[in-house]
Amino acid sequence: MFGWSKKSKYEVLPERGYSYAMNDETREPMATYYYPEEGVFGSVPITKDAPVFFLNIRRPVILDMDGNKIGLNDLPSINDFPDECDGFIFKNVGKYKSTIFLVRNPKLQSMSF
């Protein structure tokens, strides 16, 4: 466990006027996919016809997971989010180095087309 708490040692990034869920190379909104069993969004589709979501994350905590394993039991709960934080972004997850997003309010922070 990571030992999440409201007084997290992790830095909440500042509001920058647009979402942090962006493609690092193109600077366009990142296509994400909802993983219902885990309750998170990810950068890799779980099926070939999975719906695409775009996320609005304005004050995230970003964690680089390269070399660290992360499991469902390791994720913070909504009660663990610092007050000003609206999401966690986990980069370099697993063998595909995917990105996982955990948002405070999926209904308000996601759009699907």
Side-chain angles (χ1 to χ4, degrees), residues 45-64:
I46 54 176
T47 63
K48 72 176 188 173
D49 58 344
V52 173
F53 291 86
F54 296 99
L55 301 177
N56 186 13
I57 304 175
R58 300 295 182 111
R59 298 285 318 270
V61 170
I62 299 179
L63 300 169
D64 188 346

Side-chain angles (χ1 to χ4, degrees), residues 32-87:
T32 66
Y33 308 89
Y34 187 65
Y35 304 168
E37 290 184 24
E38 292 85 6
V40 298
F41 295 87
S43 60
V44 177
I46 54 176
T47 63
K48 72 176 188 173
D49 58 344
V52 173
F53 291 86
F54 296 99
L55 301 177
N56 186 13
I57 304 175
R58 300 295 182 111
R59 298 285 318 270
V61 170
I62 299 179
L63 300 169
D64 188 346
M65 302 308 295
D66 198 19
N68 297 311
K69 291 189 177 197
I70 184 170
L72 185 57
N73 293 333
D74 296 324
L75 295 176
S77 76
I78 192 71
N79 296 326
D80 297 326
F81 279 54
D83 290 339
E84 69 277 16
C85 175
D86 64 353

Side-chain angles (χ1 to χ4, degrees), residues 94-110:
K95 73 178 190 177
Y96 297 111
K97 304 292 185 192
S98 61
T99 303
I100 302 295
F101 302 89
L102 178 64
V103 296
R104 183 181 291 274
N105 190 331
K107 289 182 181 179
L108 293 177
Q109 291 178 256
S110 67

Side-chain angles (χ1 to χ4, degrees), residues 16 18-23 28-32 54-57 89 101:
R16 63 181 186 183
Y18 55 93
S19 179
Y20 278 87
M22 305 288 286
N23 182 302
E28 294 179 357
M30 180 184 282
T32 66
F54 296 99
L55 301 177
N56 186 13
I57 304 175
I89 300 174
F101 302 89

